[in-house]
């Protein structure tokens, strides 16, 4: 028999992981896969926010409340999604936000994030609470753009030792996070009895049965630990309260600015007044952010703050924005209303939990495709053509 015609229609064979990831069309799809594959305490640590989780829910809703206003009859055969951010190009108008304890979500952790960012031509930010060292991240993303996120600890010498290592490893920007004077109340972590490092209890063992891949990775790769801290055992909240310094103020920031030779970014800005003050200080960028809803609940929504902040400081400092970004349309909306750049936290972590490095690649690809398509449908061929008139938002 001649099977030729049948074979011609045979689909290329994909590995189960590739098939799973290819079937995800949205970040929400990646989230659903992530939830199935990750033990509950680790998934909830990532997916959850503080208190009643209103800051996060409202930030996501704000993006969904957007109406776009397209222009017609424009040549959109080619679209340019690149942006100059902190003086250098990024292939897409977003970078990877700093996230702590990333290897707990999936053991490739920061290595997957940094190498995927490098391959996509976008910046990667490593957290002070990261689970890969500054030097290892550099090795994972040797030719790409790495930023280091700093928490000022009570022990200043220790903080500044990290800053020096970041400078020595060629990290180009220091992202100082200022919205954690104390830890937010992450109730899911408390209810799950989340500890660092995760401990094996009868409950965790039971939870492992349907998630063998996570556990095999966890038990067969390098032990999970904070790369920039000595060994720690205790709850997340205890750790944060021991380390973070509630006295940090504008003078400390001015001091850091003097010490750091590269670009300085301040993350966690939540008012027009602070945005203006930081612009006057001469910081290179501010990040409008409520920390993905993980700190103050009922916080201002960065996307709602954006138009007024843009009116006040656009051009004197770069405006970056995060919290709640789940699609390329969210990013396009933020750029239209005056953001120079955006950061994604959970969107990449859902990809990581869904499938390691290829999962992060898929998350970036989904967002990139959505950005391109939204731009075309809006009638713009470059990000610079986006303007406030393209977007109206309900408040
Ligand atoms: N921000 C920091 O500045 N330092 C951190 O160590 C840090 N850890 C985080 C850990 C997790 C699991 C998540 C989800 C966020 C973390 N963030 C941290 C906040 C992110 O940098 C970013 O502001 C936030 O995730 C943006 O919201 P999104 O997740 O909705 O994109």
């Amino acid at each position: 028999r001649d099977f030729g015609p049948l074979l011609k229609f045979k689909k290329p064979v994909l590995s189960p992981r590739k098939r799973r990831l290819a079937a995800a069309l949205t970040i929400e799809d990646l989230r659903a896969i992530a939830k199935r594959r990750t033990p509950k305490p680790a998934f909830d640590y990532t997916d959850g926010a503080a208190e009643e989780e209103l800051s996060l829910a409202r930030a996501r809703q704000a993006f969904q409340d957007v109406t776009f206003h397209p222009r017609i009859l424009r040549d959109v055969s080619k679209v340019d999604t690149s942006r100059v951010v902190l003086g250098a190009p990024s292939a897409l108008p977003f970078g990877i936000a700093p996230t702590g304890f990333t290897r707990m979500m999936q053991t490739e952790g920061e290595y997957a994030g940094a190498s995927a960012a490098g391959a996509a031509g976008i910046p990667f930010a490593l957290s002070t609470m990261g689970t890969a060292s500054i030097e290892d991240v550099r090795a994972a993303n040797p030719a790409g753009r790495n930023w280091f996120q700093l928490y000022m600890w009570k022990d200043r010498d220790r903080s500044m030792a990290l800053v020096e290592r970041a400078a020595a490893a060629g990290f180009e920007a220091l992202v100082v996070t200022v919205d954690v004077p104390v830890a937010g109340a992450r109730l899911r972590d408390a209810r799950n009895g989340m500890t660092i490092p995760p401990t094996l209890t009868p409950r965790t063992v039971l939870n492992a049965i349907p998630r063998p891949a996570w556990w095999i990775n966890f038990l067969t790769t390098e032990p999970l630990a904070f790369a920039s801290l000595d060994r720690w055992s205790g709850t997340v909240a205890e750790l944060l309260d021991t380390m973070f310094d509630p006295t940090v103020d504008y003078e400390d920031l001015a001091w850091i600015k003097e010490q750091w030779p590269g670009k300085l970014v301040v993350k966690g800005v939540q008012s027009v007044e602070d945005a203006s003050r930081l612009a006057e200080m001469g910081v290179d960028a501010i990040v409008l952010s409520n920390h993905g809803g993980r700190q103050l609940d009922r916080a201002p929504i960065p996307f709602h703050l954006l138009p007024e902040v843009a009116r006040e400081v656009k051009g004197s400092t770069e405006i970056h924005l995060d919290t709640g970004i789940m699609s390329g349309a969210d990013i396009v909306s933020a750029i239209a209303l005056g953001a120079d750049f955006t950061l994604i936290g959970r969107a990449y972590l859902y990809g990581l939990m869904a499938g390691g490095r290829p999962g992060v690649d898929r998350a970036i690809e989904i967002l990139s495709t959505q950005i391109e398509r939204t731009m075309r449908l809006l009638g713009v061929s470059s990000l610079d053509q986006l303007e406030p008139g393209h977007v109206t938002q309900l408040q």
Side-chain angles (χ1 to χ4, degrees):
R1 282 219 204 152
D2 179 12
F3 289 107
L6 278 180
L7 288 175
K8 225 165 69 186
F9 292 106
K10 204 172 148 234
K11 282 195 181 151
V13 184
L14 289 177
S15 70
R17 173 154 86 170
K18 287 215 175 105
R19 238 194 346 258
R20 193 170 69 232
L21 292 171
L25 302 180
T26 62
I27 300 297
E28 194 58 53
D29 289 346
L30 287 176
R31 178 180 176 275
I33 301 170
K35 189 170 185 181
R36 284 200 302 274
R37 300 181 59 80
T38 315
K40 183 170 165 41
F43 179 80
D44 276 350
Y45 172 73
T46 311
D47 191 60
E51 317 259 2
E52 295 168 76
E53 306 195 352
L54 295 170
S55 291
L56 178 62
R58 290 175 183 174
R60 287 185 176 165
Q61 188 61 47
F63 284 122
Q64 288 176 355
D65 285 343
V66 156
T67 302
F68 281 128
H69 302 279
R71 313 282 189 263
I72 53 169
L73 299 171
R74 313 283 158 109
D75 177 359
V76 289
S77 52
K78 292 195 186 70
V79 285
D80 179 3
T81 58
S82 71
R83 266 266 119 147
V84 171
V85 56
L86 299 177
S90 171
L92 295 163
F94 65 87
I96 292 191
T99 57
F101 222 41
T102 315
R103 291 192 55 245
M104 179 183 64
M105 294 140 205
Q106 202 274 356
T107 51
E108 292 171 44
E110 286 88 355
Y111 307 116
S115 59
I122 63 174
F124 174 80
L126 170 66
S127 163
T128 300
M129 313 293 281
T131 43
S133 73
I134 290 168
E135 294 75 16
D136 286 347
V137 163
R138 179 79 221 172
N141 186 21
R145 306 182 62 187
N146 294 303
W147 300 352
F148 184 70
Q149 178 266 322
L150 180 73
Y151 281 127
M152 274 304 263
W153 289 331
K154 288 178 181 150
D155 184 343
R156 294 291 149 93
D157 290 345
R158 217 162 145 191
S159 299
M160 293 324 280
L162 285 178
V163 170
E164 277 164 28
R165 272 173 60 190
F171 279 53
E172 61 180 52
L174 191 64
V175 180
V176 182
T177 298
V178 293
D179 54 11
V180 187
V182 295
R186 320 252 172 91
L187 302 184
R188 292 200 216 180
D189 294 351
R191 292 190 177 118
N192 288 329
M194 238 283 279
T195 57
I196 287 178
T199 38
L200 281 178
T201 61
R203 201 162 83 177
T204 33
V205 171
L206 268 182
N207 197 261
I209 295 167
R211 297 170 180 88
W214 188 96
W215 283 96
I216 291 165
N217 282 341
F218 178 68
L219 297 170
T220 57
T221 57
E222 62 180 293
L224 189 56
F226 289 116
S228 301
L229 299 176
D230 295 335
R231 292 201 81 73
W232 174 268
S233 59
T235 68
V236 186
E238 281 165 2
L239 170 75
L240 298 185
D241 280 336
T242 314
M243 303 298 300
F244 294 107
D245 183 353
T247 72
V248 171
D249 62 12
Y250 270 96
E251 268 179 42
D252 295 293
L253 185 69
W255 179 77
I256 297 170
K257 191 166 176 290
E258 274 170 30
Q259 315 287 313
W260 172 254
K263 302 283 184 188
L264 185 70
V265 181
V266 178
K267 174 172 178 282
V269 178
Q270 300 183 69
S271 73
V272 181
E273 292 74 19
D274 282 318
S276 301
R277 189 161 171 190
L278 291 164
E280 274 163 30
M281 266 180 84
V283 305
D284 297 290
I286 56 170
V287 188
L288 297 181
S289 167
N290 66 34
H291 209 110
R294 298 164 76 81
Q295 286 299 112
L296 177 68
D297 204 14
R298 302 167 201 249
I301 304 310
F303 187 62
H304 285 171
L305 276 177
L306 181 58
E308 205 184 333
V309 168
R311 268 195 298 279
E312 289 294 317
V313 306
K314 182 97 177 158
S316 50
T317 187
E318 284 183 14
I319 304 168
H320 301 189
L321 178 143
D322 76 18
T323 301
I325 292 174
M326 289 288 279
S327 82
D330 300 345
I331 294 172
V332 169
S333 312
I335 302 291
L337 289 189
D340 294 294
F341 201 61
T342 59
L343 296 172
I344 54 161
R346 293 179 186 81
Y348 108 88
L349 295 173
Y350 294 140
L352 175 69
M353 292 187 284
R357 162 74 199 272
V360 181
D361 290 337
R362 183 73 185 130
I364 295 173
E365 185 181 41
I366 288 171
L367 293 173
S368 163
T369 308
Q370 291 171 334
I371 289 170
E372 252 185 57
R373 189 175 49 242
T374 306
M375 287 172 68
R376 284 200 163 99
L377 291 171
L378 279 175
V380 302
S381 52
S382 80
L383 295 170
D384 295 339
Q385 292 170 9
L386 286 167
E387 52 180 35
H390 284 112
V391 168
T392 46
Q393 50 170 333
L394 299 173
Q395 289 263 357

